[in-house]
Amino acid sequence: MTLAVETTDLKVQLQLADDWFTVCDLSMLVPGRGVAALLPDGRQVAVFRDRSDRLYAVDNRDPFTGAAVLSRGLTGTHEGRPFVASPLLKQRFDLADGHCLDDESVRVAVYEVRTR
Amino acid sequence: MSATLGATPTIVLVGHGMVGQRFLEALAERGLTATHRVVVLCEEPRPAYDRVQLTSYFSGRTPEDLSLTDLEFIKDHGIELHVGDPAETIDREARRVTARSGLAVDYDVLVLATGSYPFVPPVPNKDAAGCFVYRTIEDLLAIEEYARNASTGAVVGGGLLGLEAAGALKGLGLNAHIVEFAPRLMPVQVDDGGGAALLRTIEEMGLTVHTGVGTQEIVTDDSGAVTGMKLSDGSELATELVVFSAGVRPRDQLARDCGLGVGERGGIAVDEQCRTVTDPRVFAIGECALAADGRVYGLVAPGYEQAETAAATIAADEASFTGADLSTKLKLLGVDVASFGDAHGTTEDCLDVVYSDSRAGLYKKLVIGRDGTLLGGILVGDADAYGTLRALTGSVPPVSPESLVLPAGAGSGAQLGPSALPDDAIICSCHNVSKGSIRGAVTEHRCTTVPEVKKCTKAGTGCGSCVKVLGQLVTAELEASGVEVDKGLCGCFAQTREELYEIVRALRLTSYRELLDRHGREGARGGDGCEVCKPAVASIIASLAPAIGASGYVLDGEQAALQDTNDHFLANLQKNGSYSVVPRIPGGEIAPEKLIVIGEIARDFGLYTKITGGQRIDMFGARVEQLPLIWARLVDAGFESGHAYGKSLRTVKSCVGSTWCRYGVQDSVRMAIDLELRYRGLRSPHKLKSAVSGCQRECAEAQSKDFGVIATANGWNLYVGGNGGATPRHADLLAQDLSDAELVRLIDRFLMFYIRTADRLERTSTWLERIPGGLEHVRDVVVHDSLGICDELEKLMRSHVAHYRDEWAETVTDPEKLARFVSFVNAPDTPDPVVSFVPERDQIKPDLPLLSIGMRPADDVLEGSAQR
Ligand code: SRM
Ligand SMILES: Cc1cc2nc3c(=O)[nH]c(=O)nc-3n(C[C@H](O)[C@H](O)[C@H](O)COP(=O)(O)OP(=O)(O)OC[C@H]3O[C@@H](n4cnc5c(N)ncnc54)[C@H](O)[C@@H]3O)c2cc1C
Ligand code: SF4
Ligand code: FES
């Protein structure tokens, strides 16, 4: 993110199978919180921005309850790993690799994100 | 003890009062219940209960609450308990006791624990309708019943029990009088100075005291009911109810009838092992016994010691009871009164050190021996130092006696903490627990809380007067033994919530990041915090907002990112990702027009409606993008956020009260509405619930609330620390007969003190149990302003009230905030397809087809996406 463009014009993009998919303006993301985006194939992605403006994207569906709510969870840092805690039953997911910090066997999909 | 050959030896206990029950426990602890048959004859219609706390019945404790008897215990130890069946005769020759029912039991050992009976002076008409004594639960029930049709009551006797009885009469809404023959109140426990301080405070409470006069006759009407009493000074006092509380006498008739020796002034004569001097197979313990030192003890602690002694002797262990001191600490009508050791200075050559401030109702006297030894003392009005001073009695205090009686802060006034005590100092005299044993509970038995130490040592489970010192000792010991308990809030902060509150308040920090980067744990600084501390800090900032200059609106700026998801959307997230909507319905009162609005909105948006357990209406199944539309209509119709999502005030439930109910004595609905409107929106460590009942029947269930209010004839009683939920707790009475203004002021202080000192997600009930000193400490702080912070607490609450704004009204008019209420940032008009419903009983319920897919295994995770 070294481009000297007005922040308000920056777009958040996700890497899908073969293309970059534009989600929204960067300014729609509040540091520390997420938003949900709908993909063309119907899947949902939760996109987050941290306090240093790093971006993360994981599948929006909470694997423990089935509800599409991860974008509404609280984020944080656990031993240096960025995470989101599900707003329903509070399991935490590593935002970088999708691993559930509270249950080894569970993982959510992660997406590459960039701003343009 | 020799037993009849072959048969299991039998122990018969006559009297199941406080001491009797303690004796049974002592038997069990020594394994005697396993080797003996134990039969108990109990005269009262219920097993042993806490007579010491009898008066608390009038502040809402039920007879069941007062019970000391665990029926499991009785069953587990095979004890045969015969309730409502007193012993009538004892045949010592045949070693047989016969009860009223005809039940005859042969004993090997007989233990008499028959207690005392109230002495009623032989005045004419002493048995008239309207005359009572004050000893049993049945007495209280009868007084309560009779008081319903009375407006004035008089107590004969101004001693400890008389004052309690008078307080109870006042609590029942009567004009209460106390008639005491001696020239001062509590002649046994306090001296003239103490009596004067007590008198002043008690009169200020609205009780009328007549000292130096005797009761000569009870006056009755034609029907034989009390109308007044004639006093020895020739005057007549009009009263409809008389309670005799002129002392007690040992119940030794049964013993006399079977030829056991009794003292000149009564009491079954026993030796140092509590064995009767007449018959080695018969013991006497408690208030019916005349101890080896020639005294009959009218307090529970010596009785317990006698119970232990008798049980030990039966088990052939060494034990003796040679006397006890008469130290007492009481809370009479809210006034601390304590006396200990040689309170009246009877030791030769002793000196007094006295501090007296009758304006403040304070009187403190220490009796000091020639060599500087502390011999005893009297404390009226402020007995905080009692635990420490009592334990120091018999030794030379480490600081000058003057500084021990001067109030803290006044010149050289010194606060002598329990750390100054030697290990063998007795902290709990009810259960004879030394400072050493309490320390041991912490260091060896690994107790880390006061309740654990109580359970482990029994300290503090009797009269309760030592609990404050106990709390101080436990804390000191934990700190000293270096048990590294990480009291930190979470992985990001090493401070407790209380400490963070103080930091935020003192430094006026309004930014979470700043707090984390400056005060967080080393490794957490610069990071993003976590889901534990973010909402906790958000709540601290919100509850201090006006005072520290933060925005009071929880979705402003950085605050928005800290809120728990429910607060973030100002609604409660449900299992399928939809939300529930709860408008505030203050006090549960709602006009038909507003009911119709709710009905229409629910119908138009297809919401599921339900009457909640909190006297309001919840609408379920709203999609996130519907929330602003729903709220725009609700705000329009005059509704506000109900904060069902917040750690903040939920509901103040009400009963209909005096407006409609035939029993109501105050307008409970109005008070509930006032309170709900005053505290709405207040962010706190956990949710806050309240209720107001119009009379003692308590239809609003106020005693299960964080702060509950019950109407009395004279105003309001305030209860705090109640809880429903998983660990229900009855609230404790904080103060009685408050005016509207006094009530509100106390609640203001209570809530702000709680918000300031509680842990995250700690309800008032757990907080009250946890904080050192418990209820007493909270009462000292919020009622007596012992920390001098009440002005500030009130100020904080006033600014909360002044700055309150409805979050939803503010949100629906702010386009930027509204942009957040969409399912998808890139498709604002598309609803989340996962949120779907199926019909049930004419309404909807969530349909969760996705759940059947189950959890996604870790390996098929990257399909269609690239890993970073
Ligand atoms: C809706 C309601 C049940 C109902 O259908 O009646 C309800 C629903 C919930 N309760 Fe409750 N409680 C409701 C009355 C109560 C009551 C009764 C009362 O308030 O008189 C109690 C017991 C009283 C008490 O709290 O002391 C109660 C004790 C709890 C507890 C246990 C608290 C405790 O201290 O043990 C929780 C869990 C918690 O807060 O940690 C809880 C938590 C919840 C939550 C918030 C659980 C959650 O996180 O999803 C539920 C969601 C509410 C929603 O989505 O709107 N609810 N809950 C009631 C709403 C009342 C209102 O109008 O605000
Ligand atoms: C209102 C009040 C407040 C008090 N406050 C304090 C205080 O703050 N501190 C303190 O130390 N003490 C206090 N006391 C005193 C304390 O309650 C007594 O010291 C204690 O209860 C004595 O216990 P006990 O077992 O000897 O007698 P009790 O508790 O009176 O028990 C005796 C039992 O024996 C039963 N009984 C009698 N005869 C027979 C029979 N023939 N057969 C079967 N059963 C029989 C009686 O019905 C009674 O239930 C208070 C007392 C009252 C009434
Ligand atoms: S608590 Fe009292 S006043 Fe209120 S409804 Fe019940 S009986 Fe009536
Ligand atoms: S002194 Fe009575 S409980 Fe400890």
Side-chain angles (χ1 to χ4, degrees), chain B residues 569-636:
Chain B
F569 289 96
L570 305 172
N572 293 47
L573 183 62
Q574 304 298 315
K575 57 198 292 181
N576 65 344
S578 68
Y579 284 88
S580 75
V581 173
V582 191
R584 188 167 294 292
I585 299 181
E589 184 186 81
I590 183 162
E593 272 314 316
K594 283 192 153 178
L595 268 179
I596 290 169
V597 171
I598 292 187
E600 286 175 346
I601 293 176
R603 184 196 56 208
D604 294 353
F605 288 88
L607 306 175
Y608 166 84
T609 54
K610 181 177 182 299
I611 309 287
T612 70
Q615 293 190 344
R616 51 188 182 174
I617 301 170
D618 202 341
M619 293 175 265
F620 294 82
R623 296 169 204 279
V624 65
E625 60 274 6
Q626 290 177 320
L627 290 173
L629 305 172
I630 294 171
W631 271 104
R633 281 179 61 179
L634 285 170
V635 169
D636 229 28

Side-chain angles (χ1 to χ4, degrees), chain A residues 33 36 38 44 51 75-77, chain B residues 517 528-529 534 560 825-826 832:
Chain A
R33 283 232 95 101
L38 189 61
Q44 301 185 19
R51 62 181 280 190
T75 59
T77 315
Chain B
D517 293 352
D528 277 82
K534 287 209 287 199
V825 67
N826 59 340
D832 176 1

Side-chain angles (χ1 to χ4, degrees), chain A residues 17-18 29 38 43 45 50-53 81 85-86 92-94 97-98 100 103 105 109 115:
Chain A
D18 38 28
L29 290 178
L38 189 61
R43 277 181 299 152
V45 181
D50 74 8
R51 62 181 280 190
S52 328
D53 293 333
R81 295 165 81 180
S86 166
R92 294 164 303 165
F93 299 91
D94 188 314
D97 64 16
C100 176
D103 183 345
S105 69
T115 47

Side-chain angles (χ1 to χ4, degrees), chain B residues 161-235:
Chain B
L161 293 186
L163 292 187
E164 280 204 31
L169 293 186
K170 178 167 178 281
L172 288 170
L174 305 189
N175 287 318
H177 294 261
I178 300 169
V179 179
E180 168 57 52
F181 187 71
R184 62 168 186 265
L185 291 173
M186 290 194 49
V188 183
Q189 286 85 357
V190 306
D191 58 6
D192 282 335
L198 197 58
L199 176 65
R200 198 184 153 87
T201 321
I202 283 176
E203 284 184 332
E204 264 172 21
M205 290 175 190
L207 282 97
T208 316
V209 180
H210 314 257
T211 45
V213 284
T215 307
Q216 279 188 330
E217 184 182 337
I218 305 296
V219 189
T220 59
D221 64 10
D222 297 345
S223 71
V226 175
T227 58
M229 48 203 274
K230 283 197 179 131
L231 303 181
S232 60
D233 62 0
S235 65

Side-chain angles (χ1 to χ4, degrees), chain B residues 435-464:
Chain B
K435 175 177 167 184
S437 327
I438 291 167
R439 292 182 45 193
V442 175
T443 50
E444 277 148 46
H445 300 276
R446 306 225 153 272
C447 299
T448 53
T449 62
V450 172
E452 278 169 31
V453 174
K454 278 183 170 180
K455 210 164 169 188
C456 176
T457 63
K458 277 199 158 160
T461 57
C463 67

